[in-house]
Amino acid sequence: MWVKYLDSGAYKDEAAKVVEAANNNEHFKPREKQLDPEIQEERAEVLREVEGATGITFRVALEGMEANVAAFVDTGTREAYMTERVLSNKRLALHAAHHEKNHLDNSIFDIDLEEEINEDALSALLKEVGESELESVTLVEGFNELSTFKKHGRNEQSGYKDKEVPLAEKLERLAQTHLGESLLVAFDAGNLKLLLQRFELLGTILALRGQLALAA
């Protein structure tokens, strides 16, 4: 994905120069679409706050981000990006920052159940949760956002609250009920091997329960 961005320091410097130029009735135009100086100053301050709260530095994406994307991590470079417009919403920006920090902390960016667990276990999981597939991105974002909610509070502006999080919650309840173990704990620990083992064991138990029910 192509993204036009400014590094954190450059973004803050630009905001300071815009405000200084406005105060001195001077002209400063570092980019084509210049913001109101007050808006840019406020966004730079929110950027400082979210970076202070998370301990990570965000590149500010000016163009190229999809409309529903608040922030993301480049899994290749491990660089974090924040969409500029989101900096006008401090609460959402802080939540998005915590979400991306969580990604960096657990480093789980792929949960490919189709490749990693046996077919019977996967089929049983799908049947139990009423899904035709369990996509990797759905699982990763669901568990990552569920973890973020638990650590920092639920955010109703989250794009994952309606589909991905409820699915992760359902899977977590099943694991707690049938394994006495947590999928979320394994995810938070960044232990993908353990997470996949628990998914497979859960699916296997559900498959056996289904077979016993048919035999009864």
Side-chain angles (χ1 to χ4, degrees):
M1 176 172 57
W2 174 86
V3 175
K4 180 180 179 181
Y5 69 89
L6 285 174
D7 284 320
S8 175
Y11 187 82
K12 295 167 191 170
D13 288 344
E14 179 186 280
K17 290 176 182 177
V18 168
V19 171
E20 183 179 2
N23 290 338
N24 295 323
N25 294 316
E26 297 172 355
H27 180 67
F28 178 70
K29 188 179 181 182
R31 47 182 155 136
E32 292 181 6
K33 297 179 181 179
Q34 186 56 49
L35 294 173
D36 179 279
E38 285 189 15
I39 293 175
Q40 194 157 354
E41 184 180 29
E42 288 172 1
R43 288 179 174 180
E45 180 57 33
V46 169
L47 179 61
R48 291 187 190 91
E49 291 188 37
V50 300
E51 289 181 338
T54 59
I56 59 175
T57 300
F58 285 88
R59 291 176 170 179
V60 180
L62 309 176
E63 298 176 18
M65 301 283 277
E66 296 179 10
N68 63 336
V69 175
F72 77 98
V73 167
D74 183 322
T75 58
T77 64
R78 301 301 170 96
E79 292 284 354
Y81 293 77
M82 177 79 66
T83 303
E84 184 182 29
R85 60 174 172 74
V86 173
L87 293 170
S88 287
N89 184 333
K90 181 178 175 180
R91 186 168 182 270
L92 179 59
L94 187 58
H95 178 80
H98 283 307
H99 178 93
E100 301 311 325
K101 173 66 161 52
N102 225 34
H103 275 310
L104 291 170
D105 285 345
N106 61 60
S107 295
I108 294 180
F109 299 102
D110 187 26
I111 305 174
D112 192 346
L113 296 186
E114 189 170 335
E115 290 293 326
E116 298 294 340
I117 72 174
N118 72 66
E119 187 176 341
D120 288 342
L122 178 57
S123 295
L125 282 172
L126 291 171
K127 182 179 180 180
E128 189 69 26
V129 297
E131 298 287 341
S132 59
E133 61 182 332
L134 290 171
E135 294 182 332
S136 174
V137 65
T138 300
L139 293 172
V140 170
E141 296 300 350
F143 278 99
N144 199 66
E145 188 73 319
L146 177 58
S147 174
T148 305
F149 281 178
K150 287 183 176 295
K151 293 174 183 175
H152 304 286
R154 185 178 176 87
N155 190 298
E156 291 304 319
Q157 291 181 283
S158 166
Y160 301 121
K161 69 179 177 62
D162 295 324
K163 176 185 176 183
E164 290 84 355
V165 170
L167 177 59
E169 289 174 327
K170 187 180 293 186
L171 288 165
E172 176 67 5
R173 285 194 299 270
L174 287 169
Q176 294 277 5
T177 299
H178 297 292
L179 299 182
E181 301 286 357
S182 171
L183 297 171
L184 186 61
V185 167
F187 180 87
D188 267 341
N191 193 334
L192 181 58
K193 182 178 179 179
L194 178 61
L195 179 63
L196 291 170
Q197 287 174 345
R198 288 181 176 177
F199 266 117
E200 182 158 36
L201 182 56
L202 174 59
T204 299
I205 290 173
L206 291 172
L208 288 172
R209 286 172 61 85
Q211 292 169 9
L212 290 172
L214 288 173

